[in-house]
Amino acid sequence: VASASSEMLLQSHTSMSSMTWHTVGYSDAYGQVVQPSSFTGSAALSGSDEWKVTRVEYYSRRESSESASYRLDLELTGDDGLPTHEHLFRATLNPNAVSSTGGWHSVTVSDCPWLDATQPIAMTLTYLSGSNRLMVVESSASGATGMLTTDESASEWLRPASTRSLMYRVYGVKRTKAHTDESVAIPRLSMA
């Protein structure tokens, strides 16, 4: 089995221009599609590579100082970029751990499985309970893409936006696949 690389930045959008704050609430969830085909530099993947997330960061603030909870999910996405509800990682978090004025919040991702070089994922943030809510930043600056929003309920995701993004960073590792798929010809098959 090939050894994993050191942790590296896989994908991000960090532009502070064109910022809009959104509240993660009862019917409003937000997320970001992470496309491995967009990884660049030393993070770029070949068809024989696999990757996994080790840490995520998102620019956020809390609405108040009341008690509350929200959920961070990493999920597989389908061809349409929408979350499939096949969870790779899930954490219940307290918005009070986030700055009241805005800043980067980091979450360590444990036990995330290895993913194929072509498999995109979604990072989603959903309200759970309480009087306090998480607020996240939408950016429409140059290069923004892949933001997920909901329609009417926190589980009805709209297709990813092509010109909007959360402000986020995704870190991870990569390695050469532990095995490769091979085609084997069958010389003869007899059935009775």
Side-chain angles (χ1 to χ4, degrees):
V1 176
S3 59
S5 68
S6 299
E7 184 184 64
M8 63 182 81
L9 179 65
L10 299 175
Q11 188 172 303
S12 66
H13 185 78
T14 59
S15 174
M16 294 281 190
S17 63
S18 305
M19 292 172 55
T20 304
W21 286 98
H22 293 291
T23 303
V24 178
Y26 309 104
S27 61
D28 300 307
Y30 295 90
Q32 179 66 44
V33 176
V34 178
Q35 285 283 3
S37 60
S38 299
F39 297 174
T40 60
S42 60
L45 302 173
S46 72
S48 62
D49 289 335
E50 54 190 1
W51 66 287
K52 71 175 177 176
V53 178
T54 55
R55 181 166 48 108
V56 297
E57 296 178 344
Y58 41 95
Y59 201 85
S60 58
R61 65 183 170 96
R62 64 179 187 262
E63 187 178 50
S64 67
S65 57
E66 303 296 322
S67 63
S69 62
Y70 68 99
R71 188 170 61 222
L72 166 69
D73 282 310
L74 297 181
E75 303 179 20
L76 297 180
T77 66
D79 292 339
D80 55 6
L82 297 177
T84 61
H85 306 296
E86 294 179 64
H87 299 288
L88 305 170
F89 173 79
R90 172 173 277 184
T92 299
L93 303 168
N94 184 340
N96 283 312
V98 176
S99 164
S100 61
T101 56
W104 289 101
H105 183 66
S106 183
V107 177
T108 299
V109 175
S110 59
D111 299 324
C112 188
W114 288 98
L115 301 168
D116 186 82
T118 61
Q119 177 61 62
I121 65 167
M123 174 181 72
T124 61
L125 299 160
T126 309
Y127 167 85
L128 290 178
S129 65
S131 303
N132 192 3
R133 291 178 295 180
L134 181 75
M135 300 183 75
V136 294
V137 170
E138 168 192 337
S139 171
S140 56
S142 176
T145 187
M147 182 175 171
L148 291 166
T149 58
T150 54
D151 181 36
E152 296 185 4
S153 83
S155 61
E156 294 179 13
W157 292 100
L158 300 171
R159 289 182 184 270
S162 59
T163 58
R164 297 182 297 150
S165 173
L166 287 186
M167 285 181 54
Y168 72 99
R169 298 181 185 123
V170 174
Y171 296 85
V173 294
K174 69 177 190 175
R175 69 180 183 187
T176 301
K177 284 183 182 177
H179 67 278
T180 56
D181 298 328
E182 294 182 11
S183 297
V184 178
I186 300 175
R188 189 166 132 187
L189 177 62
S190 300
M191 297 181 68

